[in-house]
Amino acid sequence: MAEPVVRIPDAKVALSTASVYPESTATAFEIAARLGYDGVEVMVWTDPVSQDVEALKRLSDYHQVPILAVHAPCLLITQRVWSTDPWVKLQRARAAAETLGASTVVVHPPFRWQRTYARDFVNGIWRMADETDVRFAVENMYPWRYRDREMLAYAPAWDVSNDDYRHFTVDLSHTATARTDGMAMVDRMGDRLAHVHLADGKGSGKDEHLVPGRGDQPCAELLERLARTGFDGHVVIEVNTRRAMSSAEREADLAEALAFTRLHLASSAQAPRP
C-alpha cells in the first residue's frame, strides 16, 4: 500500500461570527454552511441572537453547522452583556458551551482596571476549568498604543504565554499588533495551545484581522506546524470584513481564508526538515 502523501490533522476549521460584522450572527451560520466550514465560534456581543442560547441552537440545527466554541463577552462594548460581573460572564459562557456542545470558551485576560478580577484571574480560571470538560482557552492580547505612547491595558499581562493557564488561544492578528514573534509565543504555549484565531496583520497600531496571507504573520508556518504535530483543537477564521463593498465580496474573503487554511493544514507526510 502506498504511503500517504499528506497528513491532515483532526483540527476543525470554524468561522467566527465576528468575521461577518456588520452582518448578523445568523448570517455567519448561513455563510459557514454555504462555504463548507466545519463549524462556528460564537462571539457573544451586542447582537441579541449571540446572547440567546436557544436561538443559537436553532440556527445550528437548521444549518447543520455545529458550534465549536463560545467567545465570552470580554470586549469594551460588551461590558454589560451577560452581567457586569466578569465571573458571571464566564459562568454563563461555560453553561452556553455545555448546552450547545462546544468544547472551548475563549476568554481575554482582564483589563487592568478590573483589579479584583485580575488579582484572582489565574487561580480562578483553574478553578473553573476543574469544574467542567469545557476548555477555558485564554487569548493573547497586545499593548494599546497612541502615537509614541504604549499603555498596558491587560493584567496580569497581554502576553498570556508567560502565565500558568491550562489552555491557550493564540491570535496572530494580536501578535502583529503587539509586534512580537508569534511562533516564539506558540513555542512557549507548547502543548497547552488548544485553540487558534487565524488572521493576519502588518504590525500597525490597530488590531487588523486581515485575511491570512495578506499580512506578515506566520499564518502558513503555524498551520504547517499544527499539521506536523497532530493538533486536535480548532482553527477559527476571525477576520475583519467590514470594508467589504458587498455580501459577495465578504463571502469571497471568507472563502479565500478557508482555502488558505485547508491548504496549509495539509502537511507533507515526510519527516519535517530541520
Side-chain angles (χ1 to χ4, degrees), residues 139-157:
E139 183 175 5
N140 63 297
M141 299 304 292
Y142 47 84
W144 291 1
R145 293 188 180 91
Y146 178 71
R147 295 181 178 174
D148 295 329
R149 295 187 177 185
E150 187 174 283
M151 183 177 78
L152 301 179
Y154 299 95

Side-chain angles (χ1 to χ4, degrees), residues 217-241:
Q217 292 303 289
C219 296
E221 183 181 352
L222 173 59
L223 292 170
E224 289 162 7
R225 177 184 293 194
L226 297 180
R228 289 196 304 270
T229 57
F231 180 73
D232 63 353
H234 304 319
V235 178
V236 179
I237 304 300
E238 190 182 76
V239 296
N240 185 344
T241 63

Side-chain angles (χ1 to χ4, degrees), residues 72 132 161 171 236 266:
T132 180
S161 66
D171 185 309
V236 179

Side-chain angles (χ1 to χ4, degrees), residues 42-108:
V42 174
M43 171 70 81
V44 180
W45 55 359
T46 54
D47 181 348
V49 172
S50 74
Q51 305 169 29
D52 186 332
V53 173
E54 288 304 315
L56 292 170
K57 191 173 187 308
R58 288 194 296 271
L59 281 170
S60 177
D61 291 344
Y62 179 78
H63 292 287
Q64 292 296 290
V65 174
I67 297 171
L68 303 180
V70 173
H71 195 309
C74 306
L75 305 175
L76 282 173
I77 63 170
T78 60
Q79 291 300 289
R80 295 186 178 278
V81 173
W82 280 359
S83 171
T84 56
D85 183 331
W87 290 116
V88 172
K89 291 174 182 284
L90 296 190
Q91 290 164 1
R92 292 191 63 173
R94 181 193 68 191
E98 290 171 342
T99 299
L100 296 167
S103 64
T104 304
V105 167
V106 178
V107 56
H108 292 179

Side-chain angles (χ1 to χ4, degrees), residues 109-144:
F111 294 113
R112 295 186 73 84
W113 56 83
Q114 296 175 302
R115 294 181 182 178
T116 303
Y117 178 45
R119 190 179 304 122
D120 192 42
F121 183 69
V122 177
N123 291 332
I125 290 293
W126 272 99
R127 285 196 300 271
M128 293 193 72
D130 286 338
E131 297 170 354
T132 180
D133 290 333
V134 173
R135 296 174 171 181
F136 283 89
V138 185
E139 183 175 5
N140 63 297
M141 299 304 292
Y142 47 84
W144 291 1

